[in-house]
Amino acid sequence: MTPPHSSGKPFGLQLPDYPWDALAPYLATAAQHRDGVVNLSIGTPVDPTPALIQDALKAAADAPGYPTTHGTPELRQAIVDWFARRRNVAGLDPRDVMPTVGSKELVAWLPLLLGLGEGDVVVRPAVAYPTYDMGAVFAGATSVAADSLDELDAETRARVRLVWVNSPGNPTGIVRGVAELKTLVEQARALGAVVASDECYGELGWGAWDPENGGEAVPSVLDPRVCGNSHEGLLAVYSLSKQSNLAGYRAAFVAGDGAIMANIVNSRKHAGMIVPYPVQEAMRAALADDAHVRAQKELYRRRRAQLVGALEAFGLTIHHSEAGLYLWCTAGEDTWTTISRLAELGIVAGPGTFYGEAGNGFVRVALTGTDERIAAAAARLGADS
């Protein structure tokens, strides 16, 4: 228990319990399965970090000096080149990009870094990664769940300062097309609000959003078709955790509006929020190589196909899930009932209730298991035993 100050007020932030802790009893049940647990609740990569990235990290291991908050010029150029090659964003200024210590810390601290506070509104998707809400809490702002600014009343809309869009979405896998993003950007600009686009699953489109199979690439908020050749009021956030198996490196970046970026860089210099130099070099190697991204996506493509059939055989209906590392499913029953039934099979999924009230009745099943564990899950789901 945190001891109180002499004023009687306890030290520490008064935050809700971390939601994933609630899975402990279901993990315990699943662990009793005769063939072991298949944990598909958290989307943490399980495949090896590509050798070329490991080699770059090792080569930069002799790093006695302080790294730069803004990132080395070489890394920032690699980010610019990647945006042009993979995201249809040409001409990005290297001054307007910066590495971050994973994308979660940027999501959590962005409202504070933007100077938001009491009375300001942060809009996040109706079903969303919970850190968007926590970022508003840290800044003292108000978080509102909505998939469109048209859903807000006039009083709330007038107080909107930051709009989060997550495409492809976690946990739903929803992709926002060019027209939808363009409308959102225009509406936010009319309000004087910033649009921050969390795009960390951008390389993981399926079906109509799978370029390797004739589909369209998932659009970025910085795409000129969306933003009209201006990055004013826009930030794109990206992580290498998913595409390159770098979750353990905490390797991500943010890019966009030059004035906002300059201010964020300055604030982070004051706070000492810096990506280590060896990780910056590893990022540079990862961003320059597309082959390992294609290879990893092919692994996920096969695992996804295997799980889709098995989950449907188990009686789950898959909604959206057109991109990303998850299948968003429902059995038409309470979330925790489904979680319990899966745990009895030795399978752990993510409760939809962790992602907001609109997630009730759903579970999130990650593709991040080894081939052997995915096959085990598919066999159990198909046999329902």
Side-chain angles (χ1 to χ4, degrees):
M1 180 175 178
T2 304
H5 184 262
S6 58
S7 67
K9 181 180 179 182
F11 289 105
L13 299 175
Q14 306 307 303
L15 303 177
D17 291 336
Y18 193 59
W20 292 97
D21 293 342
L23 273 180
Y26 302 95
L27 280 163
T29 297
Q32 296 174 24
H33 192 278
R34 62 184 180 274
D35 187 35
V37 66
V38 181
N39 192 342
L40 303 179
S41 64
I42 299 178
T44 185
V46 297
D47 300 305
T49 299
L52 69 96
I53 302 174
Q54 294 189 48
D55 290 344
L57 183 82
K58 295 171 186 174
D62 185 12
Y66 289 112
T68 62
T69 299
H70 200 175
T72 65
E74 294 81 9
L75 172 57
R76 286 186 278 127
Q77 186 60 52
I79 294 171
V80 166
D81 294 343
W82 176 86
F83 263 109
R85 188 176 73 253
R86 304 298 300 176
R87 306 295 284 146
N88 193 39
V89 180
L92 193 60
D93 192 321
R95 293 175 297 183
D96 300 340
V97 301
M98 178 185 62
T100 64
V101 189
S103 60
K104 183 173 183 176
E105 64 93 344
L106 193 279
V107 171
W109 296 117
L110 184 60
L112 184 64
L113 292 170
L114 292 175
L116 273 58
E118 185 177 355
D120 295 327
V121 167
V122 175
V123 178
R124 55 85 163 169
V127 181
Y129 184 47
T131 308
Y132 303 129
D133 284 338
M134 295 313 301
V137 169
F138 291 144
T142 300
S143 181
V144 174
D147 288 325
S148 168
L149 293 178
D150 291 333
E151 299 173 23
L152 306 181
D153 60 64
E155 190 275 334
T156 302
R157 188 168 171 142
R159 295 188 291 120
V160 172
R161 297 291 306 285
L162 172 62
V163 181
W164 277 109
V165 60
N166 180 208
S167 176
N170 171 22
T172 60
I174 291 173
V175 175
R176 310 294 180 185
V178 168
E180 186 176 358
L181 286 175
K182 185 173 186 289
T183 296
L184 177 64
V185 166
E186 290 172 348
Q187 290 181 330
R189 282 174 169 168
L191 296 174
V194 171
V195 175
S197 180
D198 184 351
E199 303 176 353
C200 70
Y201 300 96
E203 290 275 12
L204 294 169
W206 314 113
W209 299 105
D210 189 355
E212 286 85 357
N213 286 328
E216 180 183 349
V218 173
S220 170
V221 75
L222 302 183
D223 187 312
R225 296 172 298 168
V226 172
C227 66
N229 294 308
S230 169
H231 297 160
E232 180 183 358
L234 307 179
L235 296 172
V237 182
Y238 196 80
S239 168
L240 299 182
S241 294
K242 278 67 180 178
Q243 72 159 48
S244 301
N245 297 331
L246 285 185
Y249 284 47
R250 312 312 300 132
F253 51 87
V254 59
D257 184 307
I260 294 174
M261 285 300 305
N263 187 275
I264 291 176
V265 170
N266 183 61
S267 296
R268 291 172 69 89
K269 287 179 179 178
H270 283 290
M273 300 168 81
I274 310 172
V275 176
Y277 174 73
V279 175
Q280 293 193 33
E281 284 295 281
M283 291 175 65
R284 188 156 69 95
L287 288 163
D289 180 76
D290 297 334
H292 78 275
V293 181
R294 288 193 295 269
Q296 185 61 47
K297 183 174 180 178
E298 183 56 37
L299 288 177
Y300 286 136
R301 185 184 285 109
R302 294 200 303 268
R303 293 167 184 167
R304 181 179 184 275
Q306 196 168 15
L307 279 175
V308 165
L311 290 166
E312 290 177 340
F314 183 66
L316 294 175
T317 300
I318 298 170
H319 288 235
H320 297 295
S321 307
E322 54 258 36
L325 282 181
Y326 312 106
L327 296 169
W328 185 235
C329 317
T330 182
E333 62 192 8
D334 178 77
T335 286
W336 293 101
T337 299
T338 308
I339 291 293
S340 181
R341 292 201 294 125
L342 290 170
E344 293 294 334
L345 298 180
I347 300 169
V348 185
T353 52
F354 286 2
Y355 303 94
E357 292 181 11
N360 188 33
F362 287 83
V363 298
R364 189 193 77 169
V365 179
L367 309 182
T368 51
T370 63
D371 288 346
E372 184 274 332
R373 287 290 83 186
I374 294 292
R380 297 176 198 180
L381 290 163
D384 197 8
S385 62

